[in-house]
Amino acid sequence: MKCWKPEDFEQKSLNGTDFSSTEMKHHLAGCEFCRNTYAEWMEEQESLMQLLYPDVLPASFTEGVMQSISSEAEIFKDSILTANETKLHQARRFQKRWKLAAVVAVLIVFISTATFFSVPTLADMVRSFFAGNNADIGLLKAQELGLVQHPNIKVTDKGYLLKIDEAVADSTRVVVALQLFGPDGKHDRNNITFDDKNYIFIKDEKGNKVGEMYDYGSTVDFYYMIAFFPEPIKTDRLTIEGKIQELGKPGTHIPTVPGNWDFKFDVDLKEANKLTHVIPLQGEYTSPDGLSVNLKSLTRMVQGVRLEFDTQLSEEALKRSPEELRKEQKLAFHFEDLEGNEIHSVNSRKMPRTDSVMTSSKIAGNKPGLMHWSYTFKYLPTDSPYMFILDGYSIAEIDGTSVEFNPLKLKEKPIKLEWQKDQLELKDFTVENPPDTNGDAPESSLQITGELWNEFGFDKWALKTLDNIEFISQPRGGMSIGGNTWKDGKMVMEGGVQTKPFEFRFPALNPIPDKLTLVRTVIGKRYTNTDWRLELFEKKNGQ
């Protein structure tokens, strides 16, 4: 898609454009110009409405004017909402449009009465979970069920105001919208660094720490603080305890300001816990190469759905992955509706793709090769059947494949390799000096290009000299995904700094010998010869 100008964002917003669309997200992620333009436009809207709506009520404000205007505003809002109550997804889409467009209409009502009063400004709306594209499906569901809590936190020190107006919590996660206003009254999104001086803990009813919140980012409108629970939390109340002792960013142009903006409030989980349900699952499959998968349950919570299953390796598979290697596993699967449309995927190399995983965990079982898995998704369908499809898996296995080469001649005569579906080319061998090293000492650099079929994250590579001295590699560079189906994707090696290709770094060999051996001691073997599709449907009571 082409880049937008500020006036384009204005027009698109009034036309109801969804900035959370896949196309828009991909464009904003890769286009710094549009990200900056979008942020500038949002700040411009915010500044405009701050001028129009002062936060302090005028002395002449009367209860009669408030009731009159509030009634007109409610009639306006209710008339629109009533016309859009036919379908839930239409209401959600309308809600995003109304947050911007309704401000204009309500402004006309306010001006007609020649009175200004304290109402949510556009800036306040923007700083809500439920404005723009801030809210995901879990937050929207919590809003629909009336589970958004308003702690009304306001802490002021050194002229800075910290506010928390919205919090959403269940056994899946806690989300808090934190705002900071400077002495000039303007919103400041870049003045808190969460570290050992600034943090937000989550505690259960017994005072045990069960989580720590971090800034999720994704919005310039407030600090999007979030914490995920690796397992559904079992408590009726959580305490959110924040310690904010310093503003600013040391070492930057933003000066530090010491102070005290600590806060503490409780969130009630009783109603959310009543809506948590465990659905037993039945489904088992064994792959041709010895991995068995056994689905166990779905736990449906307000803000997420937790899938649990076990995997077990056969005796033959265990021989290929001795000791700790057998714990290095990765599964790839996805969900589709019955028409073949993707719902979301896990560890897929297909692009584009939809990914709604919030948390995941894998824990070794009480016997060799047994693993307990859990994934928490933002949602899964409740009113229609859908398919669970196993796309493949990767596991660390003993390898030992090697190649001998002359590092002094690589640049003139690169070596091409094809190892278990991985296509590599050894391009050059150099000695690099600080600061272009991982430390203060020189390093040898083996430069590589290629496409990897197997799981590079589980690989272990070594370099051996003629006198059998072995050096473990330190990878340097990046990987990108190349693939358009569920099973054929590869990882493409990309360069690091100074436009070099992907590198294996080793302690410096000086002088460079004329013979070295590159060995892959462990391979992250990828298997896609799986064939398992299982229909899932959560039956309601009485069905």
Side-chain angles (χ1 to χ4, degrees), residues 55-56 145 225 404 469:
D55 288 335
V56 180
L145 296 171
M225 304 305 300
E404 188 178 84
I469 298 176

Side-chain angles (χ1 to χ4, degrees), residues 216 222 263 268 286 318 339 402 415:
Y216 188 67
F222 53 87
F263 60 86
D268 194 330
T286 299
L318 287 172
E339 284 72 45
S402 64
I415 296 177

Side-chain angles (χ1 to χ4, degrees), residues 249-509:
K249 294 184 178 181
T252 71
H253 66 282
I254 304 177
T256 58
V257 179
N260 185 346
W261 296 269
D262 295 355
F263 60 86
K264 184 177 181 179
F265 63 92
D266 292 340
V267 290
D268 194 330
L269 298 187
K270 291 179 182 178
E271 293 303 316
N273 288 340
K274 291 177 183 178
L275 300 170
T276 297
H277 305 288
V278 179
I279 301 102
L281 297 178
Q282 292 183 342
E284 190 169 353
Y285 170 79
T286 299
S287 75
D289 292 285
L291 179 79
S292 296
V293 184
N294 181 22
L295 298 186
K296 294 169 62 179
S297 65
L298 279 175
T299 302
R300 188 167 287 280
M301 300 162 283
V302 172
Q303 294 189 78
V305 187
R306 179 183 174 93
L307 171 67
E308 296 189 67
F309 58 89
D310 290 343
T311 60
Q312 175 68 61
L313 294 175
S314 67
E315 290 298 325
E316 286 300 315
L318 287 172
K319 292 177 182 178
R320 300 191 297 268
S321 303
E323 300 175 351
E324 294 300 306
L325 292 185
R326 62 190 55 157
K327 298 178 184 179
E328 299 295 325
Q329 299 180 30
K330 178 185 271 189
L331 270 67
F333 58 91
H334 72 279
F335 298 94
E336 293 179 358
D337 62 24
L338 298 189
E339 284 72 45
N341 301 309
E342 177 189 2
I343 298 173
H344 43 237
S345 62
V346 174
N347 294 325
S348 170
R349 293 184 180 178
K350 172 181 174 291
M351 291 296 288
R353 68 184 184 207
T354 302
D355 185 351
S356 75
V357 174
M358 292 194 288
T359 64
S360 64
S361 67
K362 59 178 180 181
I363 302 171
N366 57 6
K367 60 181 180 179
L370 175 63
M371 298 289 292
H372 304 300
W373 302 76
S374 74
Y375 287 88
T376 302
F377 304 96
K378 290 180 181 177
Y379 78 101
L380 282 172
T382 57
D383 55 356
S384 60
Y386 54 97
M387 304 298 297
F388 170 89
I389 303 169
L390 180 64
D391 301 311
Y393 62 96
S394 300
I395 181 168
E397 297 181 355
I398 294 294
D399 189 12
T401 308
S402 64
V403 61
E404 188 178 84
F405 64 97
N406 185 337
L408 299 172
K409 295 183 178 181
L410 269 186
K411 191 168 186 177
E412 298 175 5
K413 295 182 179 180
I415 296 177
K416 293 185 178 181
L417 306 168
E418 184 165 350
W419 290 351
Q420 301 202 47
K421 296 185 179 182
D422 295 330
Q423 297 177 340
L424 306 174
E425 185 171 1
L426 310 186
K427 303 284 289 187
D428 199 2
F429 193 94
T430 60
V431 174
E432 304 297 328
N433 295 297
D436 185 28
T437 58
N438 295 312
D440 297 330
E443 294 174 349
S444 294
S445 167
L446 175 59
Q447 296 163 31
I448 306 171
T449 59
E451 294 183 342
L452 301 176
W453 169 264
N454 295 291
E455 186 60 44
F456 181 79
F458 296 159
D459 278 4
K460 292 183 180 179
W461 299 76
L463 197 66
K464 287 186 177 181
T465 63
L466 285 176
D467 50 3
N468 216 30
I469 298 176
E470 184 175 284
F471 301 96
I472 304 301
S473 75
Q474 297 181 16
R476 187 169 180 173
M479 298 277 182
S480 63
I481 296 174
N484 53 21
T485 71
W486 298 110
K487 291 179 178 285
D488 71 351
K490 293 186 177 182
M491 302 298 293
V492 181
M493 288 178 154
E494 294 186 338
V497 296
Q498 298 183 358
T499 67
K500 287 188 178 69
F502 193 94
E503 301 173 87
F504 284 156
R505 287 292 183 99
F506 307 90
L509 300 178

Side-chain angles (χ1 to χ4, degrees), residues 62-274:
T62 65
E63 183 178 353
V65 173
M66 173 60 130
Q67 291 176 346
S68 173
I69 301 176
S70 296
S71 298
E72 291 186 63
E74 284 301 314
I75 292 171
F76 168 80
K77 176 180 175 183
D78 290 343
S79 65
I80 300 178
L81 291 176
T82 302
N84 287 273
E85 288 176 345
T86 56
K87 294 183 179 179
L88 178 60
H89 71 275
Q90 289 176 335
R92 288 175 179 167
R93 191 163 56 242
F94 166 77
Q95 183 184 46
K96 294 181 179 180
R97 297 180 183 180
W98 183 83
K99 299 257 184 210
L100 290 173
V103 171
V104 179
V106 175
L107 175 59
I108 296 173
V109 176
F110 294 162
I111 294 175
S112 70
T113 64
T115 304
F116 288 101
F117 64 98
S118 180
V119 297
T121 66
L122 177 59
D124 293 327
M125 290 182 178
V126 167
R127 295 187 197 109
S128 166
F129 285 132
F130 308 102
N133 61 344
N134 296 324
D136 58 33
I137 194 167
L139 289 172
L140 290 173
K141 186 175 180 182
Q143 184 191 41
E144 292 163 9
L145 296 171
L147 298 178
V148 180
Q149 302 186 42
H150 301 277
N152 194 30
I153 296 295
K154 295 182 179 180
V155 184
T156 302
D157 192 14
K158 304 295 177 60
Y160 289 87
L161 169 64
L162 182 148
K163 292 178 61 178
I164 298 177
D165 291 330
E166 293 175 324
V168 178
D170 70 351
S171 54
T172 309
R173 65 177 181 176
V174 176
V175 190
V176 168
L178 185 152
Q179 304 170 35
L180 181 70
F181 297 89
D184 58 0
K186 294 182 179 180
H187 171 54
D188 193 336
R189 178 61 177 82
N190 300 305
N191 218 1
I192 303 178
T193 299
F194 292 92
D195 50 21
D196 57 343
K197 292 185 179 180
N198 301 323
Y199 51 82
I200 303 176
F201 286 152
I202 302 173
K203 297 180 179 180
D204 63 14
E205 290 176 308
K206 298 180 180 179
N208 299 317
K209 178 183 172 183
V210 295
E212 182 172 355
M213 308 197 79
Y214 67 93
D215 186 4
Y216 188 67
S218 79
T219 173
V220 298
D221 309 317
F222 53 87
Y223 292 87
Y224 198 128
M225 304 305 300
I226 194 165
F228 296 101
F229 301 122
E231 296 184 1
I233 201 76
K234 296 180 179 178
T235 185
D236 284 339
R237 187 184 74 250
L238 290 172
T239 298
I240 315 300
E241 189 173 320
K243 188 176 184 65
I244 309 297
Q245 298 289 312
E246 183 180 87
L247 303 180
K249 294 184 178 181
T252 71
H253 66 282
I254 304 177
T256 58
V257 179
N260 185 346
W261 296 269
D262 295 355
F263 60 86
K264 184 177 181 179
F265 63 92
D266 292 340
V267 290
D268 194 330
L269 298 187
K270 291 179 182 178
E271 293 303 316
N273 288 340
K274 291 177 183 178

Side-chain angles (χ1 to χ4, degrees), residues 2-12 33-34 37-38 40-41:
K2 67 178 182 179
C3 295
W4 287 0
K5 296 177 294 219
E7 56 267 29
D8 294 326
F9 282 105
E10 182 87 35
Q11 188 59 47
K12 296 289 185 181
F33 174 80
C34 278
T37 302
Y38 177 60
E40 291 171 2
W41 173 76

